[in-house]
Amino acid sequence: MRRLLTMGPVALLVSAFLVGCSAKGPHLPDYVVLSKHVTHGVRWQLDAYLSDEGLCLTVDGPRGPEVSGDWSSGGCGFDSSPSGGYWSGGQEPGAENATVVYGPLPENATAIKVASHTVVKSVPFPHGSGLPAGRYWFFIEPAGWPSKAAGTLLSTPQPMDKQGNKVAFKKF
C-alpha cells in the first residue's frame, strides 16, 4: 500500500498555516530544493524540510512549499515500516494520468526497485543542508505504467545498495 497524499490548494494553504504563523500570516518552512523539473510545460520542484513530524518531501511550484496547484503533493514523517507509509506521491505536474512518486532512503541505498525490471537511482541529500543523512528518489509513472518492459509493479518498492542487495527502510 503506497502512502499517497495529494493536496489541492486549500489543503496546502492549511498545511502551510499549520507549519507556523506569524503576525504577517502563514510562515513557510526553511526548505531545500532537491531537484527542479519541467513536465508538460509546468515548472515544479521536489523540496525537503524538517518539521515536528520529521522529514517532509513535497512536490511544489518554483516558489517552494506553498499553495502551488492541484497537482501539489507531499508527506512528512516517513516510517521505517514499508507498509507504514515510506513514500509519497501525487499527480505529475501538468499531466492528469501520470504519477510522481518519491521518498527518502538510507545512506547506503543507492537505488530503489519499483517494478520487477525497473530500478530508480537515488541521490544523496545535499551535505550541509540541515537535512538528515540519507538519500532520496523520485520516479514519474507515465499513464499506463508499468509496461511489459518495466515488469510487474512492486507493492512495496525495495531499497537496494550498489551491489543490488536489499537495504532496510529507515525512519525519517
Side-chain angles (χ1 to χ4, degrees):
M1 181 165 94
R2 175 185 334 185
R3 179 180 184 180
L4 187 60
L5 177 63
T6 303
M7 297 184 179
V10 174
L12 276 173
L13 180 59
V14 170
S15 295
F17 182 78
L18 292 175
V19 168
C21 297
S22 70
K24 296 179 183 176
H27 169 70
L28 297 177
D30 290 332
Y31 64 94
V32 176
V33 177
L34 298 176
S35 59
K36 292 183 176 193
H37 309 274
V38 177
T39 53
H40 312 285
V42 177
R43 291 178 15 167
W44 61 279
Q45 59 195 41
L46 179 61
D47 296 321
Y49 61 93
L50 297 176
S51 78
D52 291 342
E53 296 177 64
L55 177 68
C56 300
L57 295 176
T58 60
V59 170
D60 304 299
R63 292 186 299 180
E66 60 180 38
V67 178
S68 298
D70 292 337
W71 47 263
S72 299
S73 66
C76 294
F78 294 88
D79 197 315
S80 61
S81 165
S83 62
Y86 199 76
W87 60 96
S88 191
Q91 177 183 335
E92 177 192 5
E96 293 182 18
N97 299 317
T99 303
V100 60
V101 289
Y102 47 92
L105 292 171
E107 284 183 286
N108 61 337
T110 58
I112 189 163
K113 190 173 196 175
V114 295
S116 57
H117 305 300
T118 306
V119 175
V120 177
K121 291 184 179 184
S122 67
V123 179
F125 287 131
H127 291 290
S129 64
L131 297 175
R135 302 174 71 88
Y136 69 94
W137 66 282
F138 78 93
F139 178 68
I140 297 173
E141 297 176 355
W145 190 84
S147 64
K148 284 188 177 187
T152 306
L153 177 67
L154 300 182
S155 59
T156 301
Q158 178 58 62
M160 302 166 59
D161 65 17
K162 60 184 167 185
Q163 288 81 31
N165 300 315
K166 292 180 179 181
V167 172
F169 287 94
K170 173 185 168 186
K171 184 176 180 171
F172 283 92

